[in-house]
């Protein structure tokens, strides 16, 4: 049976940079607080772009660096917590922008683990022969669902998109993949879907009764609980992947974690007793871009020439849901591609 490989990567971040210092001019925060608690120095914010447009830009970059044409794609999966619309899917809008007329398209919702979930779905489709060339995108415009009056959450996130094209080949690519969920923690990191805009209070009460929930559609988070969950989920996912692949941490050249918070990553470095260089980070420049964080990091590593053919990398994510997941990949892209 053919192996499933990553054939190309791409990413896109908006031009607009918002530094911690700039945030401190519009809210009661400061660079020192944000940097010491999270490691984040700046983030990118979309101005006049939505999730589908930044997702399509990342996809086009991946296509440009591959031999795959848009019409060769037969499946597009977009992982996002910030779709353009309830319907159509962001994947269908991306399909139209990039001209991938032969693809089946759908979105998935797995928060910051979304890209790993997407890789897993793509893997299954390719492995069983149902699809050949699959585009997986993690894309977010989180700035649109942030409560900019809540300094505890709004300083943490940013916008961006990352993409990978998967296909089949002879050499081993995706070696091991693992995902999990725990809906008991659903309230720890949440954004309500309903966005009811009824200014008339009497009318609103008549329709919905005395509920306050209908118009809260911004991101809320129990930061400390998420921290505990994150380190547990990352540790267990890494152990599971290494055990089932019969590899050791020394076999892994880079761990590419979900870019949420440098303190979470530092905790993992100590727990695993590894050199900090084994963990790739770029959250300093982009903040937490949820489903986009891992594919943006992977694309940057690819373009910076950090990855040699044959290197083994481990991607690991965790997020709202609660969800988590990881994969070990043997890199199959030639450096000069
Ligand atoms: N600037 C200045 N002060 C702030 C800010 C800010 N941006 N935000 C909160 N504070 C203040 C609070 O008001 C509070 O002040 P008080 O003690 O006077 O009441 C104090 O700082 C501590 O606030 P906490 O919310 O308790 O801060 P905490 O120490 O828990 O740090 C953080 C918050 C960094 C988010 C932490 O909980 C954490 O590391 N969580 C990990 C999870 C994470 O990073 N989540 C983000 C992504 S989730 C995901 O990707 C799945």
């Amino acid at each position: 049976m053919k192996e499933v490989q990553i054939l190309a990567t791409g990413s896109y971040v908006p031009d607009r940079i918002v530094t911690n210092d700039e945030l401190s001019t519009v809210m009661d925060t400061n660079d020192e607080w944000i940097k010491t608690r999270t490691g984040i120095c700046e983030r990118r914010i979309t101005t006049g772009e939505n999730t589908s447009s930044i997702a399509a830009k990342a996809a086009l970059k991946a296509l440009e660096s591959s031999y795959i044409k848009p019409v060769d794609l037969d499946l597009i999966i977009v992982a996002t917590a910030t779709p353009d619309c309830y319907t159509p899917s962001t994947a269908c809008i991306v399909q139209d922008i990039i001209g991938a007329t032969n693809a089946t398209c759908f979105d998935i919702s797995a928060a910051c683990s979304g890209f790993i979930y997407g890789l897993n779905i793509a893997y299954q489709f390719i492995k069983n022969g149902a699809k050949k060339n699959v585009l997986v995108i993690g894309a977010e415009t989180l700035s649109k669902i942030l409560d900019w009056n809540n300094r505890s959450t709004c300083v943490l996130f940013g916008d961006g998109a990352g993409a990978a094209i998967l296909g089949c080949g002879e050499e081993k690519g995706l070696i091991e993949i693992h995902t999990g969920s725990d809906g008991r923690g659903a309230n720890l990191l949440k954004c309500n879907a309903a966005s009811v805009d009824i200014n008339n209070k009497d009318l609103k009460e008549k329709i919905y009764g005395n509920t306050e929930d209908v118009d809260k559609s911004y991101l809320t988070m129990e930061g400390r609980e998420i921290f505990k969950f994150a380190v547990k989920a990352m540790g267990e996912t890494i152990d599971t992947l290494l055990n089932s692949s019969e590899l050791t941490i020394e076999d892994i050249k880079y761990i590419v974690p979900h870019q949420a918070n440098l303190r979470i990553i530092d905790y993992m470095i100590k727990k695993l007793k590894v050199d900090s260089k084994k963990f790739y980070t770029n959250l300093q420049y982009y903040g937490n871009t949820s489903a986009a964080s891992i594919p943006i990091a992977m694309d940057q590593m690819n373009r910076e020439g950090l990855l040699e053919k044959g290197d083994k990398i481990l991607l690991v994510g965790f997020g709202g849901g609660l969800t988590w997941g990881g994969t070990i990949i043997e890199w199959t892209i030639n450096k000069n591609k």
Side-chain angles (χ1 to χ4, degrees):
M1 204 190 260
K2 295 260 186 214
E3 302 296 343
V4 180
Q5 302 176 343
I6 291 187
L7 306 177
T9 65
S11 64
Y12 171 80
V13 289
D15 292 336
R16 169 86 168 100
I17 298 173
V18 179
T19 63
N20 292 345
D21 282 336
E22 185 177 348
L23 284 181
S24 72
T25 64
V26 291
M27 65 185 71
D28 183 14
T29 190
N30 57 76
D31 180 53
E32 203 258 332
W33 192 98
I34 301 172
K35 243 193 317 221
T36 52
R37 306 271 174 143
T38 71
I40 299 164
C41 304
E42 57 191 47
R43 72 284 296 138
R44 303 298 179 102
I45 302 291
T46 42
T47 50
E49 285 183 299
N50 51 21
T51 299
S52 62
S53 56
I54 65 171
K57 285 177 181 168
L60 288 170
K61 289 215 178 128
L63 284 161
E64 275 163 22
S65 56
S66 80
Y67 57 85
I68 307 282
K69 297 187 199 68
V71 290
D72 298 330
L73 294 171
D74 45 16
L75 179 61
I76 300 176
I77 302 167
V78 174
T80 185
T82 48
D84 293 13
C85 325
Y86 286 128
T87 189
S89 70
T90 307
C92 278
I93 305 171
V94 170
Q95 174 194 32
D96 184 40
I97 300 171
I98 68 173
T101 43
N102 296 315
T104 297
C105 308
F106 58 84
D107 290 356
I108 56 166
S109 168
C112 310
S113 315
F115 184 72
I116 303 288
Y117 272 51
L119 289 183
N120 198 357
I121 297 166
Y123 176 88
Q124 309 303 336
F125 268 101
I126 296 169
K127 200 75 181 162
N128 74 17
K131 301 288 178 191
K132 263 168 104 175
N133 298 311
V134 182
L135 172 64
V136 182
I137 307 173
E140 303 285 7
T141 48
L142 290 161
S143 59
K144 293 178 183 163
I145 59 162
L146 293 175
D147 176 1
W148 288 98
N149 289 312
N150 182 352
R151 64 180 180 171
S152 301
T153 49
C154 72
V155 303
L156 304 174
F157 298 93
D159 299 342
I165 299 171
L166 282 82
C168 49
E170 298 302 329
E171 302 154 44
K172 194 93 178 158
L174 267 68
I175 295 174
E176 203 61 58
I177 195 149
H178 168 75
T179 54
S181 315
D182 184 359
R184 288 171 300 178
N187 284 327
L188 296 178
L189 184 54
K190 191 175 178 192
C191 180
N192 284 338
S195 178
V196 176
D197 188 13
I198 302 177
N199 292 328
N200 182 328
K201 199 167 171 283
D202 289 343
L203 176 61
K204 192 172 169 182
E205 272 183 22
K206 273 184 196 144
I207 295 173
Y208 293 103
N210 198 14
T211 171
E212 287 180 4
D213 222 29
V214 285
D215 52 9
K216 279 190 199 138
S217 57
Y218 46 75
L219 197 71
T220 58
M221 179 184 72
E222 302 285 338
R224 291 183 184 194
E225 290 306 310
I226 291 291
F227 193 105
K228 283 188 241 164
F229 153 68
V231 292
K232 186 167 178 285
M234 276 174 91
E236 287 176 1
T237 303
I238 292 170
D239 283 349
T240 303
L241 291 169
L242 291 176
N243 286 337
S244 42
S245 59
E246 297 181 359
L247 293 168
T248 66
I249 198 79
E250 287 75 35
D251 295 319
I252 306 296
K253 184 161 180 198
Y254 287 108
I255 296 175
V256 188
H258 167 46
Q259 308 284 314
N261 185 317
L262 215 48
R263 289 200 311 183
I264 294 176
I265 295 169
D266 285 343
Y267 185 96
M268 291 310 300
I269 290 167
K270 286 199 188 89
K271 193 169 174 233
L272 294 169
K273 297 189 183 70
V274 294
D275 190 329
S276 61
K277 291 199 188 88
K278 202 182 263 284
F279 276 79
Y280 183 84
T281 62
N282 62 8
L283 65 90
Q284 299 85 337
Y285 310 107
Y286 305 122
N288 179 347
T289 57
S290 190
S293 92
I294 291 175
I296 292 174
M298 187 170 68
D299 180 53
Q300 288 196 336
M301 295 169 77
N302 186 20
R303 284 168 201 272
E304 284 166 15
L306 294 178
L307 301 173
E308 305 270 357
K309 216 172 162 186
D311 285 345
K312 292 186 185 67
I313 62 170
L314 190 156
L315 316 182
V316 58
F318 55 89
L322 299 169
T323 58
W324 59 89
T327 179
I328 296 177
I329 298 169
E330 184 161 321
W331 203 246
T332 45
I333 302 175
N334 282 319
K335 223 179 182 181
N336 57 358
K337 220 171 173 191

